[in-house]
Amino acid sequence: MSVVFRQPASESACLSEYNDVIRKEHCFIEVEESMPAAAPNYQETLDLYRRRLIVDAARRVFEASGLEGASIRVIAQAAGCTTGAIYPLFRSKEEILAAVLGESLTSLGREVRAAMDGVTAPARALRRGTLAIYKYYDAHPSELALSLVLFNGDRKKRFGSGLDAALARQLDELLAMLAERVRKATAKPFLPMVRLETSALITYLVGLLVLKQGRRPDVLGNNASVLLAHYTKNMVARLGGGD
């Protein structure tokens, strides 16, 4: 979008001569300039700020009490606001949990992409991608606990309103990144096998994390990441691929 406005012209442009008398007049020229994109108005900025406060507070509440132990009232108290400030932004605690999980999956996907970017050997990229998932959830154990709801068969009942589908797409995109490396690292790939192997890898990875975070040193000690690397390497060898 552009606007036209008037501004004073240069001094020389405003001189005129009449009967050998030079006069200076006030004159203007029209200038057209493009308008910058409209900045968010006050209400939009306030809503973004409130949403950030609510989601951050809800994350703490969900981590401490889970979905069943959380409520809009408790989340409002943790956020330092009233329940009336939450309902215009979120209709239920399930919607807030969906926002928390969506942000978690976005951050996780960013870590996995960064780990695999620029790695041309598919087997090596696969190992780096799975290790990135392990490191992320090992550093954020509460997010793993919350994310397990994504594997619950009752997700549609929990979230509804298209939120389950949106989270499923995010999860599928993450799995697709790994599945593509599984496919490329396999000598004779076909789609059902690639999906099965990817699902098995994620299941093994999540199992390692759950055992480790459950403080079972008699099972894993501090070698969960080593076990993950061992599993991935053997999986690639079994599928006939290589670095």
Side-chain angles (χ1 to χ4, degrees), residues 11-12 30 33 43 50 63 110 129 142 151 157 170 179 191 217 222 242:
E11 183 174 342
S12 61
E30 291 187 347
E33 287 192 4
Q43 188 60 49
R50 285 176 175 169
E63 290 172 357
R110 190 180 302 117
S142 58
F151 300 96
K157 182 179 178 181
Q170 282 188 273
L191 187 58
N222 293 317

Side-chain angles (χ1 to χ4, degrees), residues 12 21 37 42 51 86 99 102 107 115 132 134 145 165 172 175 190 192 207 217 222:
S12 61
V21 177
Y42 174 77
R51 182 183 178 88
I86 292 181
S107 297
Y134 171 84
D172 288 344
L175 296 178
F190 65 100
N222 293 317

Side-chain angles (χ1 to χ4, degrees), residues 125-243:
L126 179 63
R127 289 196 293 270
R128 292 190 61 174
T130 53
L131 184 59
I133 297 175
Y134 171 84
K135 287 182 176 180
Y136 181 86
Y137 280 133
D138 191 42
H140 306 85
S142 58
E143 291 190 26
L144 174 65
L146 292 176
S147 295
L148 290 177
V149 73
L150 295 172
F151 300 96
N152 190 322
D154 199 27
R155 284 180 302 162
K156 291 183 179 180
K157 182 179 178 181
R158 286 186 182 275
F159 298 115
S161 303
L163 296 175
D164 178 76
L167 289 171
R169 281 195 299 271
Q170 282 188 273
L171 184 60
D172 288 344
E173 288 173 3
L174 176 64
L175 296 178
M177 286 193 288
L178 298 179
E180 177 62 11
R181 271 64 181 190
V182 171
R183 184 188 68 80
K184 290 182 177 179
T186 304
K188 297 180 180 180
F190 65 100
L191 187 58
M193 179 272 294
V194 169
R195 288 175 175 170
L196 180 62
E197 292 291 348
T198 304
S199 297
L201 175 59
I202 291 296
T203 301
Y204 187 84
L205 169 58
V206 171
L208 286 177
L209 286 163
V210 169
L211 286 173
K212 185 175 186 294
Q213 294 176 8
R215 302 186 185 280
R216 294 294 302 274
D218 54 318
V219 177
L220 296 178
N222 293 317
N223 296 318
S225 60
V226 176
L227 290 173
L228 177 61
H230 178 74
Y231 178 90
T232 308
K233 181 179 179 180
N234 285 346
M235 182 188 76
V236 172
R238 174 168 47 80
L239 295 174
D243 287 341

